[in-house]
Amino acid sequence: MINHQYDVIIIGAGGAGLRAALEIPEGFSCAVLSKVFPTRSHTGAAQGGIGAALGNEEEDSWEWHMFDTVKGSDYLGDQDAIEIMAKDAIRAIIELEHMGMPFSRTPEGKIAQRRFGGHTRPEVPEDPDSKRVAVKRSCYSADRTGHVMLHTLYENCLKQQVHFYSEYFVTDLVMSGKSCAGVVAMDMATSEVHVFHAKAVMLATGGYGRVFRITSNAHVGTGDGFSFVYNNGLPLQDMEFVQFHPTGLWKLGILISEAARGEGGILLNNKGERFMERYAPSVKDLAPRDMVSRAIITEIREGRGFKGSDGTSYVHLDVSHLPKEVIDEKIPEITGFARTYLGVEPTKEPIPIQPTAHYAMGGIPTTADAEVIRDKKGTRVPGLYAAGEAACVSVHGANRLGTNSLLDIIVFGRRGGKAIAEFIKEAEFAPLPADAADRTLAKIDRLMNSKGKEKAGALRTELQEKMMEKVGVFRNAKDLADMTVEIKTLRDRYQEVSIDDKGKIFNTDLVEAIELGNLIDTAEPIIHGALVREESRGAHSREDFPKRDDKKWLKHTLIFKTDDKPKIDYRPVSITRFQPKERKY
Amino acid sequence: MKVTLRIQRYNPERDSEPYYQEFIVEAGDDKERILDLLHQVKWKYDGTLTFRRSCAHGVCGSDGLRINGRNRLACSTLLRDVNYKKPIVIEPLPSIPIIKDLVVDMSDFYKKYEAVKPYLVNKSPAPEHERIQSNEDAEMLFESAKCILCGCCTTSCPSSWSDENYIGPAALLKAYRFVFDTRDEAADERLDIVDTPDGIWRCHTIFNCVEACPKDINLTWHISQLKKRVAEREM
Ligand SMILES: Cc1cc2nc3c(=O)[nH]c(=O)nc-3n(C[C@H](O)[C@H](O)[C@H](O)COP(=O)(O)OP(=O)(O)OC[C@H]3O[C@@H](n4cnc5c(N)ncnc54)[C@H](O)[C@@H]3O)c2cc1C
Ligand code: SF4
Ligand code: SF4
Ligand code: FES
């Protein structure tokens, strides 16, 4: 075992972790740990853009952005935090541009902006109550926005000489009493276990898409950060809210960004009808994601989908009517995916798509300064911070709008970095418990020596298929109750997993087996959260409770692990400017 | 249908040198990704098979491999892109150290990337709004900014094979990315770094890199622009 000491440890080198690292002042030691080389983080997969009311192409205001985010969240987002984000967005984008991020530009040379689902302005700007129409708010770099953002942030970290531990797989937090005192990690190159003693730790570990069979998320999106928190007796918040993006490539789940519809693409059923006209008459194909996903599943259930050779069904996304320049210049990457993976020529034929598990609205509850909290009163966990998709501030509530995650990660990544910079000035190192690495060592030891019959790959597929079937776009009490039993069984069977690779060098067999444990830990609160929340709100849609119920459910769910079934608690939602209204588009 | 993968294996804890092992896998149709077939081997037959991967759709740069003698991404190569009637030969990227099986040591590649100062340098006070740049000037950068640092180009370059100090096409592409950014002020410094025998002049325009790049980046063109810029500077 090898010991290190740093003032700050950041877990995760996606947008959130890198942005936070840039805030740690000279004179303090900081290291960023990542299980993949930083530029391979999943932020690089983001396509469509990042939202800010710059008003470069059309009149816009941060208040409208705030309103859209609140409404998009189905009123579960915390309005104090959303206000911070919508206001800070403008500064944050300008800052990225100054850091060197290459953007598409307007004819005047300003940052170009495009339309995106759920982002609107009043048709008559002077009359805030006039009908809302789509607005150009998404700042973009063709359809590679996340890629160039991730590279720009990494480049700035190199310039600032941030220290990285690449291909270090974090396995646990080190808690010292009620504070966080560091992390435990395995160097993948050698399987050596390292303990990093720190004053402050930030979790910027991203999402958990791989809990589901069809997902837009990377293979490494295994919810590790959620698992660390959950296993250390800390709560997770609003885990039932899983975003299914309406347009994943059929069978593969690879994302076809909303940018395709922002540029004019439309959805069609097997009768060639533009069915979104029926579900969202004003914004149609640019309705928020939860609504479009439900509309697609409804079309399919009512027999208006196409049957795929794999037994699953899909509908069509058509961009073939768009000018060739728009396809080649504005959405080259995503149309390329359709060509490469399905052999479809988007300039001539429609693209088969189906909803794909995409984004975690819920996560580790934090303050607006990324400080992790431990209970409904908002008590802080000294030394522990979380930002990005792993965190739940909550700015996305029950449903995230497109372009708001890239924004979230840089706004709250930076705020978290600043809060840490303040904290470490005064804070001492919390004492490092002698048994810090014991749980990790025992886990590795068990997996390396197990002779059990279960295989991680097969067990993972089972989990993913069941989650897709029973905890997907539509949910009901029976399926969810079944899943609470199922997940227990899967957890028991997980104890019987054995691996083939007994070596020390780059043992991905071992890493994947540990990741499977994290997936199971993450699925459990999603299932239980979905079962207790007896209403439909945003992305959480209960067939047996089809209405939103503000009287009972306008509150955040907190969920704690116990030896028996998880314990549930609730936190109030911050409502400042906008009273809940029915959500229509 | 059944497909045979002929995979180069090497575990330094056990083997004195690399060898090949064949696996027969089941493919639904010819649109399966090579990456999915590697996963099938790992998850069904042999958990010790080791390779990197993350995004599975050609955007993260993790799984550059040599497939039937050509550098490409396992996740963007489908069965129909190769001759699958014969065993498909899968090897690690050539000419750099192997860590295990298909996992290679990229540290030299990253070191050379860092050497060109791959970040915007602009010491002038920043305006309150964005720096103005025309869309044409921005688009001059887009092709180079697409790079996912997969290493397919540099490890296919004969000049890199014969001269380990050659900075290589990926690093030169990165130099271009900043030298030609109208917002950057360190072009001269970067040109000094690449205007050396182990820099741009080691490139003999052999085009292997261009053929290898999974993001269709015309590396040679970008390198030639750097050469031009250096020549203009000397005038
Ligand atoms: C295909 C796709 C397209 C998207 N498009 C958009 C868009 O256009 N606009 C938008 O706003 N949002 C978009 N999103 C969402 C957005 O990209 C993500 O939510 C966001 O990038 C997450 O950033 P992050 O920094 O929180 O995490 P990530 O970028 O996922 O980074 C997580 C980091 O944590 C590390 N890590 C995780 N576990 C461990 C561990 N155990 N040990 C060590 N390191 C670990 C990883 O190595 C990685 O570095 C998109 C998402 C997807 C999947
Ligand atoms: S064109 Fe230059 S960089 Fe590319 S392979 Fe040839 S010598 Fe190498
Ligand atoms: S230029 Fe192409 S081949 Fe070379 S590292 Fe970048 S993406 Fe890979
Ligand atoms: S897995 Fe990301 S490029 Fe292939």
Side-chain angles (χ1 to χ4, degrees):
Chain A
M1 211 164 64
I2 299 174
N3 287 294
H4 309 258
Q5 204 177 50
Y6 283 91
D7 293 312
V8 185
I9 290 292
I10 295 173
I11 319 173
L18 296 179
R19 186 62 195 81
L22 291 173
E23 292 303 317
I24 307 307
E26 244 179 272
F28 293 93
S29 57
C30 169
V32 180
L33 276 55
S34 174
K35 64 178 174 178
V36 297
F37 183 78
T39 58
R40 293 172 183 168
S41 301
H42 209 52
T43 293
Q47 303 164 352
I50 172 164
L54 297 181
N56 282 356
E57 305 235 10
E58 284 174 339
E59 185 174 351
D60 201 358
S61 90
W62 69 262
E63 276 115 329
W64 298 341
H65 187 182
M66 174 180 176
F67 171 75
D68 288 334
T69 305
V70 171
K71 181 178 171 189
S73 81
D74 222 348
Y75 295 90
L76 192 70
D78 287 314
Q79 295 187 16
D80 48 359
I82 295 175
E83 179 165 342
I84 290 174
M85 182 173 84
K87 272 188 190 157
D88 196 37
I90 297 161
R91 184 206 55 74
I93 302 293
I94 300 299
E95 178 185 74
L96 280 175
E97 198 281 336
H98 290 167
M99 283 183 184
M101 179 158 155
F103 281 99
S104 297
R105 301 281 173 156
T106 66
E108 308 84 67
K110 297 184 190 166
I111 295 170
Q113 298 185 279
R114 59 159 63 115
R115 299 195 173 93
F116 235 76
H119 290 281
T120 67
R121 64 181 170 85
E123 194 166 33
V124 185
E126 300 73 40
D127 174 10
D129 294 326
S130 63
K131 187 179 136 207
R132 309 275 302 193
V133 292
V135 71
K136 293 185 176 172
R137 186 178 289 147
S138 169
C139 310
Y140 64 95
S141 179
D143 53 359
R144 285 180 281 268
T145 314
H147 169 77
V148 295
M149 175 171 149
L150 181 66
H151 278 255
T152 302
L153 289 170
Y154 181 59
E155 289 155 10
N156 279 269
C157 283
L158 290 177
K159 191 171 167 185
Q160 218 170 291
Q161 301 186 319
V162 173
H163 192 76
F164 286 95
Y165 286 90
S166 249
E167 299 185 328
Y168 271 62
F169 177 57
V170 175
T171 50
D172 209 350
L173 297 175
V174 179
M175 297 302 290
S176 175
K178 291 207 177 301
S179 308
C180 181
V183 310
V184 185
M186 189 178 92
D187 177 2
M188 291 169 65
T190 60
S191 292
E192 184 108 49
V193 171
H194 295 239
V195 174
F196 293 82
H197 190 194
K199 289 181 182 169
V201 170
M202 173 178 273
L203 289 154
T205 43
Y208 57 51
R210 288 281 154 181
V211 166
F212 294 90
R213 182 81 176 128
I214 302 286
T215 178
S216 64
N217 288 193
H219 282 286
V220 296
T222 50
D224 303 357
F226 306 105
S227 159
F228 305 153
V229 163
Y230 196 51
N231 283 325
N232 278 292
L234 297 169
L236 293 170
Q237 178 170 299
D238 294 342
M239 290 295 278
E240 57 273 32
F241 296 101
V242 180
Q243 179 162 80
F244 288 86
H245 194 293
T247 57
L249 275 192
W250 165 62
K251 267 201 320 196
L252 299 165
I254 296 171
L255 192 75
I256 300 295
S257 161
E258 233 153 86
R261 283 169 287 140
E263 296 294 348
I266 54 173
L267 292 165
L268 301 172
N269 63 19
N270 70 9
K271 296 194 156 61
E273 288 168 344
R274 188 177 178 188
F275 58 87
M276 281 312 298
E277 285 177 339
R278 274 186 274 122
Y279 297 86
S282 72
V283 289
K284 304 186 184 79
D285 297 279
L286 285 175
R289 292 171 179 177
D290 56 331
M291 291 187 157
V292 184
S293 286
R294 281 195 293 276
I296 292 173
I297 301 288
T298 306
E299 290 297 299
I300 288 172
R301 285 185 176 181
E302 293 176 358
R304 293 187 294 275
F306 300 86
K307 197 94 196 145
S309 56
D310 65 340
T312 68
S313 298
Y314 58 83
V315 297
H316 279 155
L317 170 65
D318 192 10
V319 296
S320 62
H321 55 288
L322 301 182
K324 197 172 173 315
E325 313 86 74
V326 171
I327 292 186
D328 291 348
E329 280 163 30
K330 303 292 178 88
I331 47 173
E333 190 92 357
I334 52 189
T335 44
F337 295 150
R339 264 179 222 121
T340 307
Y341 294 107
L342 294 181
V344 165
E345 180 43 57
T347 54
K348 299 209 177 81
E349 37 184 351
I351 308 168
I353 55 96
Q354 64 189 182
T356 181
H358 184 57
Y359 183 81
M361 266 79 70
I364 304 160
T366 67
T367 67
D369 290 310
E371 301 154 307
V372 173
I373 61 177
R374 65 161 63 248
D375 55 29
K376 67 173 169 200
K377 289 183 303 209
T379 314
R380 320 252 155 101
V381 180
L384 190 59
Y385 298 78
E389 192 168 337
C392 181
V393 181
S394 151
V395 286
H396 310 301
N399 173 62
R400 171 173 76 84
L401 293 187
T403 78
N404 269 354
S405 173
L406 289 182
L407 180 59
D408 167 3
I409 67 182
I410 54 160
V411 166
F412 294 100
R414 170 174 171 272
R415 293 177 68 90
K418 282 193 178 304
I420 291 175
E422 272 309 305
F423 175 78
I424 52 177
K425 276 192 207 153
E426 306 290 331
E428 301 289 328
F429 282 92
L432 189 72
D435 63 354
D438 284 9
R439 200 155 43 172
T440 295
L441 293 169
K443 196 184 284 186
I444 294 175
D445 193 58
R446 174 171 62 76
L447 285 165
M448 291 291 269
N449 295 308
S450 166
K451 302 212 159 43
K453 291 187 306 290
E454 297 286 354
K455 284 288 164 204
L459 209 55
R460 182 178 48 230
T461 307
E462 234 180 275
L463 168 76
Q464 292 170 331
E465 275 174 357
K466 288 186 171 135
M467 287 297 287
M468 203 73 203
E469 191 191 323
K470 301 195 163 174
V471 200
V473 173
F474 287 107
R475 300 157 172 189
N476 62 63
K478 183 181 171 301
D479 283 351
L480 292 169
D482 285 352
M483 277 309 288
T484 61
V485 180
E486 202 57 67
I487 197 76
K488 262 197 167 150
T489 319
L490 287 167
R491 201 185 271 292
D492 291 340
R493 288 171 58 195
Y494 178 65
Q495 296 305 313
E496 295 303 314
V497 165
S498 64
I499 57 178
D500 296 343
D501 197 338
K502 311 286 184 193
K504 291 221 165 278
I505 296 181
F506 224 90
N507 190 339
T508 52
D509 207 17
L510 173 62
V511 170
E512 285 187 19
I514 298 175
E515 285 175 332
L516 171 60
N518 297 339
L519 285 173
I520 295 172
D521 288 338
T522 307
E524 182 178 280
I526 298 174
I527 297 163
H528 283 266
L531 181 60
V532 296
R533 186 174 284 271
E534 296 186 330
E535 67 157 351
S536 290
R537 181 187 298 274
H540 173 64
S541 188
R542 286 280 299 257
E543 290 163 316
D544 40 355
F545 297 94
K547 288 235 151 56
R548 192 174 88 192
D549 182 350
D550 287 340
K551 265 213 192 74
K552 271 198 181 136
W553 289 106
L554 188 53
K555 58 188 178 188
H556 299 294
T557 324
L558 290 181
I559 187 157
F560 300 79
K561 187 174 181 178
T562 72
D563 290 338
D564 187 27
K565 73 174 205 206
K567 192 182 94 193
I568 309 273
D569 209 342
Y570 301 100
R571 286 180 72 204
V573 175
S574 148
I575 295 171
T576 55
R577 287 172 181 252
F578 303 107
Q579 285 307 312
K581 280 204 239 160
E582 195 195 343
R583 190 163 155 257
K584 273 208 221 130
Y585 288 90
Chain B
M1 75 191 158
K2 298 241 184 294
V3 173
T4 304
L5 305 182
R6 186 173 157 76
I7 305 175
Q8 181 174 320
R9 306 292 309 265
Y10 173 63
N11 178 351
E13 289 174 280
R14 203 183 51 206
D15 310 320
S16 53
E17 58 187 73
Y19 63 99
Y20 290 86
Q21 189 178 8
E22 292 196 354
F23 294 92
I24 299 171
V25 293
E26 183 61 42
D29 55 30
D30 66 357
K31 289 190 194 119
E32 292 224 16
R33 293 173 279 206
I34 300 295
L35 179 63
D36 296 328
L37 301 177
L38 289 173
H39 273 143
Q40 197 182 124
V41 173
K42 185 170 182 69
W43 295 339
K44 264 197 169 151
Y45 306 112
D46 185 355
T48 68
L49 179 66
T50 306
F51 48 93
R52 291 190 178 102
R53 89 289 185 253
S54 182
C55 71
H57 63 290
V59 297
C60 77
S62 297
D63 59 346
L65 296 175
R66 196 163 181 82
I67 301 170
N68 276 354
R70 191 177 143 193
N71 289 1
R72 18 193 354 174
L73 300 173
C75 65
S76 312
T77 307
L78 310 191
L79 269 183
R80 61 170 183 193
D81 301 329
V82 299
N83 177 3
Y84 56 85
K85 302 277 188 279
K86 290 205 296 199
I88 302 165
V89 182
I90 301 176
E91 299 162 312
L93 289 178
S95 80
I96 48 177
I98 303 173
I99 295 176
K100 179 172 168 184
D101 289 346
L102 303 173
V103 175
V104 288
D105 181 355
M106 301 274 286
S107 37
D108 187 61
F109 177 83
Y110 295 139
K111 214 172 74 202
K112 288 171 174 166
Y113 151 79
E114 288 180 26
V116 301
K117 297 190 190 280
Y119 39 78
L120 191 84
V121 177
N122 188 321
K123 302 212 166 89
S124 320
E128 225 165 87
H129 49 75
E130 65 265 54
R131 292 194 166 98
I132 299 298
Q133 183 173 50
S134 75
N135 198 45
E136 293 68 45
D137 285 340
E139 284 187 351
M140 287 295 288
L141 309 176
F142 280 7
E143 187 171 338
S144 60
K146 274 200 306 196
C147 171
I148 56 176
L149 297 177
C150 66
C152 285
C153 54
T154 297
T155 59
S156 74
C157 166
S159 297
S160 292
W161 296 341
S162 58
D163 172 7
E164 59 174 12
N165 294 322
Y166 174 40
I167 190 160
L172 291 175
L173 181 77
K174 196 55 78 177
Y176 170 100
R177 151 74 187 86
F178 290 99
V179 167
F180 284 82
D181 192 326
T182 54
R183 303 168 295 175
D184 186 79
E185 292 173 352
D188 267 329
E189 267 174 73
R190 269 188 220 96
L191 290 175
D192 289 343
I193 296 166
V194 301
D195 180 14
T196 63
D198 287 328
I200 42 178
W201 307 114
R202 184 67 68 216
C203 168
H204 303 303
T205 330
I206 313 169
F207 287 104
N208 277 24
C209 53
V210 181
E211 222 168 281
C213 177
K215 303 308 281 184
D216 293 329
I217 299 170
N218 188 338
L219 288 123
T220 318
W221 182 84
H222 288 85
I223 296 171
S224 72
Q225 295 304 302
L226 282 175
K227 287 182 178 168
K228 254 202 210 147
R229 188 50 83 83
V230 167
E232 280 164 17
R233 185 167 76 147
E234 272 151 23
M235 299 273 281

